[in-house]
Amino acid sequence: MSMSHLSLKVMSYNIHHGEGMDGMYDIQRIAKVIQNSDAELIGLQEVDRYYSDRSHYEDSIALLGKELGMHWCYGANVIEPPEQGHKEQREYGIAILSKHKIVSHIHHPLSSDIIEQRGLLSAMIDVQGTELYFHCTHLGLEEQERLSQVKEVLDFTRQQPGPCIIAGDFNAQPEDPEVAVMNAVYQSAFQDEFHAHTFPAGDANETIDYIFINEQVQYRDKGSIVHSIASDHYPIIATIAVPVQGKNTDA
């Protein structure tokens, strides 16, 4: 059977627990941003599950999955006991939404400072018979912490043989050493663009959100920014080409 390529639109989106720049929590608004983008594979950061009143004690990722008709998986970086009057444990972390079946997933805690635990959520996704590895992460606030975390991300992701995508909020600028470490191994959707500003939404002047791919994946369209104030970050999207078995898949 011949090898062909399938186009996939990928997104990375820090959703700020569903709160927009107007201070309003509205998870349906986040869903609309994703839906309007036609993204098929989305890495989300700052996702609440039953966390607190700020997100109405809702299971944000389950709501997004249902609203969008997508498969999903979740990795809790922060786990707290239930608040008084509530029975579910409080979780805050990272998530993946996919139009394609998520075959398996695993959450890896990353070395983190005492302020906030960070992690890497790794999913193996079946894209028309091809095993695609999609990783979502949200790195820490200090450079030394991020350098350690990037090394751990690379140590894990490079073990996998197939096509690989890493999406996330790296809390680092394109000229920072931790991004250089990533660029040495993977190709960024914004490789040569230093003005792909994603934060803060509405008046963005920082480039801290990224999509990276390995050599088995190609860019069809490099990165673009969705200007929405549904969160305090703009989501970024890129169209990639993934090798798949079969015919008539080039699109």
Side-chain angles (χ1 to χ4, degrees):
M1 193 177 279
S2 64
M3 187 66 74
S4 194
H5 286 82
L6 178 72
S7 287
L8 282 180
K9 194 173 274 191
V10 179
M11 171 183 279
S12 183
Y13 197 4
N14 180 325
I15 66 167
H16 193 227
H17 60 263
E19 181 184 323
M21 293 302 283
D22 55 3
M24 301 292 289
Y25 167 76
D26 188 346
I27 205 70
Q28 273 73 35
R29 181 167 57 176
I30 296 287
K32 282 191 178 71
V33 172
I34 296 169
Q35 189 170 38
N36 291 341
S37 76
D38 292 325
E40 299 169 66
L41 205 50
I42 303 103
L44 301 173
Q45 305 86 43
E46 296 194 15
V47 184
D48 283 358
R49 298 191 81 187
Y50 314 111
Y51 191 75
S52 72
D53 184 62
R54 72 183 186 186
S55 49
H56 300 179
Y57 296 96
E58 291 182 336
D59 185 347
S60 301
I61 184 60
L63 288 171
L64 286 170
K66 185 178 180 183
E67 187 81 16
L68 294 162
M70 289 188 181
H71 305 279
W72 60 270
C73 59
Y74 184 80
N77 292 334
V78 176
I79 300 174
E80 304 281 356
E83 284 189 0
Q84 193 170 359
H86 295 268
K87 62 181 187 295
E88 297 93 352
Q89 70 178 14
R90 306 165 61 218
E91 298 182 344
Y92 171 71
I94 47 184
I96 290 169
L97 288 162
S98 174
K99 285 188 179 175
H100 302 269
K101 184 182 177 185
I102 299 173
V103 178
S104 61
H105 68 277
I106 186 168
H107 178 255
H108 312 270
L110 299 175
S111 298
S112 304
D113 64 20
I114 58 170
I115 297 170
E116 184 181 321
Q117 177 63 49
R118 306 288 177 160
L120 175 75
L121 178 62
S122 300
M124 196 261 274
I125 296 169
D126 180 352
V127 181
Q128 295 191 10
T130 291
E131 294 181 353
L132 171 68
Y133 294 93
F134 186 66
H135 309 275
C136 175
T137 194
H138 186 189
L139 302 187
L141 298 178
E142 300 297 329
E143 183 177 293
Q144 282 307 123
E145 180 190 14
R146 291 193 299 269
L147 281 166
S148 298
Q149 291 166 348
V150 161
K151 183 179 184 300
E152 292 170 15
V153 167
L154 291 178
D155 284 348
F156 179 77
T157 59
R158 285 194 291 188
Q159 294 172 20
Q160 297 162 329
C164 167
I165 306 166
I166 305 171
D169 176 355
F170 279 69
N171 272 316
Q173 302 281 350
E175 62 271 21
D176 289 341
E178 51 273 46
V179 178
V181 172
M182 290 295 298
N183 283 336
V185 181
Y186 296 111
Q187 186 183 7
S188 168
F190 294 98
Q191 195 81 49
D192 303 310
E193 297 178 42
F194 282 71
H195 303 291
H197 300 323
T198 57
F199 180 84
D203 191 23
N205 58 12
E206 294 183 39
T207 301
I208 56 177
D209 298 279
Y210 295 86
I211 295 169
F212 293 98
I213 60 173
N214 71 356
E215 67 282 352
Q216 294 188 51
V217 185
Q218 302 161 3
Y219 284 113
R220 286 276 171 89
D221 283 312
K222 286 229 180 170
S224 60
I225 296 166
V226 180
H227 293 92
S228 165
I229 57 164
S231 166
D232 64 346
H233 284 241
Y234 291 144
I236 59 170
I237 54 175
T239 303
I240 61 160
V242 179
V244 293
Q245 297 283 353
K247 303 175 187 173
N248 302 324
T249 49
D250 279 292

